[in-house]
């Protein structure tokens, strides 16, 4: 019996706060609340639970931007207090979180760090990683929530010991790299990965690492190919990511692995971004009706793995 997992990197403006103001993707930030709500509506429409890994600062409703005692790099919180701060609606989101928690779908609320620190970067000291984990847990507990799932910002893994020490049980590891021949530059490799539509994305299996954490690797980023390029290809031969997602769902329905799909709310900016996602969720909903396919969250997978109910999991 296979499984589909969907995880969401929920960050609003925090996903880009370390960019120079002129380099921030304005539309992605300005449409991020709209995308969050549309995504939540789609999950509700098809009753599909997901893991929402939320930047911890979004649990708060206000702050002075000082964060005294937080061991962050110099200037890390300048966007909250400089002469032109990022608007509060993209720094705070207790309303969006409460809507998720109070809704009819039993989502898994996890962490995306407290302030979108990349744990794999040199500036992320052990002290900073621990503080980010601890503060994320604190603000979630203040909202009545317990966190167990963790997603690393920009998928840069690091300081996994800090996760284990602060009570997390699982994280999303990187997807297996597809075999693409030739010395392609990064943009070309990205296009190649997104348009190899005859191959299903890899099914993955959870593994337990040396810290006792369950790694639930990714299979497919649903918006790796975006904008005019995706629409042009879709108009010619059909949406390539939609095709890959369907193949992944079919593979999971026919096997015992996990098809782990992921995205950001800020990938969903216009109605033309919504429709392929609706088709994926509709396809998933129909697949679980006619097969033994299950839809689970990262927390569900981790719990079953640690209980020994997923026999394919292994110690690494």
């Amino acid at each position: 019996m296979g499984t589909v997992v969907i995880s969401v990197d929920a960050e609003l403006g925090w996903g880009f706060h370390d960019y120079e103001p002129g380099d921030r993707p304005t539309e992605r930030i300005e449409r991020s609340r709209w995308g969050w709500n549309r995504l939540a509506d789609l999950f509700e429409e098809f009753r599909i639970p997901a893991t929402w890994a939320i930047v911890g600062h979004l649990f708060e409703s206000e702050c002075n931007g000082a964060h005294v005692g937080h061991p962050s790099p110099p200037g890390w919180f300048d966007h909250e207090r400089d002469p032109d701060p990022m608007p509060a609606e993209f720094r705070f989101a207790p309303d969006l979180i409460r809507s998720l928690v109070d809704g009819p779908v039993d989502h898994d609320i996890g962490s995306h760090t407290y302030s979108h620190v990349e744990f794999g970067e040199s500036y992320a000291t052990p002290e900073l990683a621990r503080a980010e984990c601890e503060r994320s847990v604190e603000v979630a507990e203040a909202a009545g929530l317990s966190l167990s799932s963790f997603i690393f910002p920009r998928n840069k893994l690091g300081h996994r010991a800090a996760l284990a020490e602060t009570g997390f049980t699982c994280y999303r590891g990187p997807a297996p790299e597809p075999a693409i021949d030739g010395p392609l530059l990064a943009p070309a490799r990205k296009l190649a990965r997104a348009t190899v539509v005859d191959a299903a994305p890899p099914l993955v299996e959870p593994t337990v690492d040396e810290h006792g954490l369950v790694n639930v690797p990714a299979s497919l980023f649903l918006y790796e190919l975006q904008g005019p390029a995706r629409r042009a290809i879709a108009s010619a031969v059909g949406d390539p990511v939609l095709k890959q997602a369907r193949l992944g769902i079919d593979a999971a329905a026919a096997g015992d692995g996990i098809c782990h799909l992921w995205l950001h709310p800020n990938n969903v900016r216009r109605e033309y971004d919504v429709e392929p996602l609706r088709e994926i969720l509709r396809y998933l909903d129909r697949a679980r009706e006619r097969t033994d396919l299950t839809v689970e969250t990262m927390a569900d997978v981790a719990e079953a793995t640690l209980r020994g109910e997923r026999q394919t999991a292994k110690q690494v």
Side-chain angles (χ1 to χ4, degrees):
M1 178 178 66
T3 299
V4 171
V5 171
I6 301 178
S7 57
V8 180
D9 299 20
E11 51 198 37
L12 298 186
W14 288 93
F16 309 101
H17 81 101
D18 54 339
Y19 286 33
E20 291 298 322
D23 294 334
R24 292 173 186 158
T26 303
E27 185 187 29
R28 287 186 69 178
I29 296 172
E30 291 180 346
R31 299 290 289 177
S32 58
R33 276 183 162 262
W34 185 87
W36 182 311
N37 284 320
R38 295 295 284 117
L39 185 55
D41 288 344
L42 285 174
F43 288 144
E44 182 175 337
E45 179 180 349
F46 295 101
R47 292 298 192 269
I48 288 177
T51 293
W52 289 73
I54 299 173
V55 168
H57 199 287
L58 295 176
F59 282 86
E60 304 189 58
S61 56
E62 61 180 2
C63 79
N64 61 10
H67 300 282
V68 175
H70 192 75
S72 52
W76 188 251
F77 293 104
D78 279 356
H79 70 288
E80 290 202 278
R81 59 180 185 268
D82 66 17
D84 186 25
M86 188 178 290
E89 63 184 310
F90 305 122
R91 294 185 287 125
F92 309 108
D95 55 324
L96 295 179
I97 298 169
R98 181 49 53 189
S99 180
L100 278 179
V101 173
D102 292 344
V105 182
D106 189 17
H107 292 300
D108 167 28
I109 305 300
S111 175
H112 201 37
T113 74
Y114 175 68
S115 61
H116 207 262
V117 167
E118 296 180 54
F119 279 20
E121 288 294 322
S122 59
Y123 71 80
T125 63
E127 294 76 18
L128 176 56
R130 178 68 184 242
E132 287 279 303
C133 290
E134 288 178 343
R135 186 59 182 153
S136 293
V137 169
E138 289 171 1
V139 294
E141 288 181 345
L145 299 171
S146 177
L147 307 181
S148 62
S149 302
F150 190 96
I151 291 178
F152 294 92
R154 297 177 188 143
N155 296 305
K156 294 184 178 178
L157 276 62
H159 301 291
R160 286 173 291 135
L163 274 64
E165 291 164 1
T166 48
F168 291 96
T169 63
C170 62
Y171 60 90
R172 188 183 71 207
E177 279 291 328
I180 298 175
D181 295 330
L184 298 177
L185 296 176
R189 293 179 68 85
K190 181 176 179 180
L191 179 62
R193 284 197 301 268
T195 54
V196 179
V197 297
D198 292 332
L203 296 187
V204 298
E205 291 294 345
T207 57
V208 182
D209 71 12
E210 67 272 24
H211 304 287
L213 298 166
V214 179
N215 174 11
V216 188
S219 298
L220 178 67
F221 175 35
L222 292 176
Y223 288 87
E224 183 163 38
L225 185 64
Q226 299 187 72
R230 181 170 179 173
R231 295 196 295 276
I233 295 171
S235 65
V237 297
D239 189 289
V241 182
L242 172 57
K243 290 182 179 180
Q244 284 186 298
R246 286 172 171 168
L247 288 170
I249 292 167
D250 288 343
D256 292 323
I258 296 171
C259 179
H260 187 169
L261 311 174
W262 69 279
L263 72 161
H264 308 85
N266 61 42
N267 295 133
V268 184
R269 302 191 293 275
R270 305 288 175 186
E271 284 300 328
Y272 53 68
D273 299 315
V274 173
E275 290 313 309
L277 184 57
R278 175 179 277 112
E279 286 304 312
I280 291 169
L281 298 183
R282 180 181 289 114
Y283 194 84
L284 173 57
D285 184 43
R286 291 172 177 170
R288 67 179 173 180
E289 288 180 353
R290 67 176 187 269
T291 70
D292 291 331
L293 181 71
T294 62
V295 179
E296 302 178 29
T297 66
M298 287 174 54
D300 294 332
V301 170
E303 183 179 357
T305 299
L306 294 173
R307 287 201 309 260
E309 295 177 4
R310 293 193 69 93
Q311 300 301 317
T312 51
K314 58 183 180 294
Q315 188 79 27
V316 296

